[in-house]
Amino acid sequence: DQQRGPLVGIPSMVLFFISFGIGYTQKSRLTTILLLIGGILELVFKLIAPAMGLLLPLAIGQTPLYIALIAISCAIIGLGLLRAVKGL
């Protein structure tokens, strides 16, 4: 059901932020890579899914929520980049 997308997707995004907070002081390439890959996957899915007809009610009917989900995906990528730069 397409209407449950945000209910399933938002907790996974929250877990990315929690993993960043918990592992902030630890040097872990795995956490950095997972943040980057997870953010990229979220972003690509949010951008491509409406073109395939998926999440279309969300993209059209709840545009502010949809834009917020895209912004959160970009923030997750930013956190991964921050960890990558900090690790150098």
Side-chain angles (χ1 to χ4, degrees):
D1 184 43
Q2 293 180 4
Q3 302 303 323
R4 285 185 284 187
L7 296 176
V8 175
I10 292 173
S12 70
M13 290 181 173
V14 170
L15 288 175
F16 281 118
F17 288 110
I18 291 172
S19 71
F20 176 78
I22 290 172
Y24 184 72
T25 58
Q26 300 174 356
K27 289 188 177 184
S28 170
R29 285 188 180 181
L30 180 62
T31 304
T32 304
I33 291 170
L34 288 176
L35 279 169
L36 286 170
I37 291 174
I40 290 169
L41 285 175
E42 290 278 349
L43 183 64
V44 167
F45 181 72
K46 297 291 185 270
L47 295 176
I48 292 179
M52 296 186 311
L54 303 170
L55 298 176
L56 205 50
L58 176 66
I60 294 173
Q62 298 175 345
T63 306
L65 175 64
Y66 190 70
I67 292 172
L69 291 173
I70 291 173
I72 291 170
S73 299
C74 291
I76 292 170
I77 294 171
L79 292 174
L81 290 174
L82 178 69
R83 280 188 59 90
V85 169
K86 186 184 91 164
L88 294 177

